[in-house]
Amino acid sequence: MAAGKGSHDWRFDCGRLCLDLVATGNGTSGTCELLDGADRLAGWLVAAGLVPEGTSLDAVDDTWLTSFRQLRTGVDRLLTAELDGRGADGALERVNELAAGATPGVQAVRARNGLLVRTLSAEPACAALLAAVARDAVELLTDPVARAGLRRCEGDNCSRLYLDTSRGHRRRWCSSEVCGNRERVARHRRRAAAVTVPADRVT
């Protein structure tokens, strides 16, 4: 399975690995299904930095896809519940269970050009990669500073969760370049539409 194909399609502006996974779905915090096949999941794993470029991902199949989608749903429900001030014990239990697993081991190896590059110390396993994402969610929720920056995008037709690390914590959109730009364009159009030419000046 070719790793990394389609990586240009991904957006990584949510601020955390677990939030970027949630953004790939069509649940509470995603807008459409981006993990629509095992190849797409393999591409996301590379683009997200969970596995280094060039890692063989031949083992990625529909079982992996189902597992990552289930984790995504659990993290989405858990974070949404936290923002709403309610519990989601079932989702919390599942995320904790996955986070307890061993994460992938890494090592530095010498590339042909003499530079050190990161590789995995063993074949990537689904459970280990799930553990890395689940642990990121646990660390986010148990870090008071990070947790205080959790936001939902205010853009039209967007409900992404993101981490606001801006000065003054006044960020309103998951992406200034995408949702923020759309809002600015819409605001400009509304202002332009509000300006009418008086009928007696029309020649």
Side-chain angles (χ1 to χ4, degrees):
M1 181 174 296
K5 283 189 176 180
S7 60
H8 61 279
D9 297 331
W10 308 113
R11 280 175 50 197
F12 295 98
D13 42 27
C14 294
R16 295 291 293 240
L17 176 62
C18 63
L19 299 179
D20 286 328
L21 175 63
V22 169
T24 66
N26 56 3
T28 305
S29 308
T31 55
C32 62
E33 180 57 73
L34 297 180
L35 298 182
D36 54 5
D39 282 329
R40 291 284 284 172
L41 173 59
W44 184 84
L45 293 172
V46 175
L50 270 171
V51 298
E53 188 76 39
T55 300
S56 174
L57 293 172
D58 293 331
V60 178
D61 58 15
D62 288 343
T63 301
W64 285 50
L65 185 63
T66 298
S67 295
F68 270 88
R69 284 178 173 175
Q70 289 174 344
L71 173 59
R72 181 182 66 190
T73 298
V75 173
D76 189 8
R77 289 177 179 169
L78 182 56
L79 296 176
T80 297
E82 282 293 308
L83 276 179
D84 294 342
R86 54 185 174 82
D89 292 342
L92 178 60
E93 182 179 350
R94 180 57 179 155
V95 169
N96 279 337
E97 179 184 340
L98 291 173
T103 56
V106 296
Q107 59 185 0
V109 298
R110 193 74 63 182
R112 291 183 178 179
N113 60 5
L115 297 177
L116 290 172
V117 296
R118 180 175 66 95
T119 65
L120 299 184
S121 56
E123 288 288 321
C126 184
L129 297 176
L130 290 169
V133 180
R135 191 168 298 181
D136 183 62
V138 169
E139 291 172 353
L140 168 58
L141 289 168
T142 56
D143 179 343
V145 175
R147 168 63 184 80
L150 188 61
R151 302 279 189 275
R152 189 175 296 284
C153 184
E154 296 180 22
D156 290 340
N157 302 315
C158 184
S159 56
R160 280 187 174 204
L161 293 171
Y162 66 92
L163 205 61
D164 180 6
T165 57
S166 66
R167 182 176 298 178
H169 299 288
R170 296 178 179 177
R171 181 176 162 189
R172 297 175 51 203
W173 307 292
C174 63
S175 169
S176 178
E177 292 76 16
V178 181
C179 290
N181 189 56
R182 287 174 185 161
E183 176 62 25
R184 287 187 287 271
V185 170
R187 191 184 308 146
H188 173 74
R189 287 176 177 169
R190 288 193 295 269
R191 284 197 301 264
V195 177
T196 58
V197 179
D200 60 355
R201 294 188 184 179
V202 177
T203 59

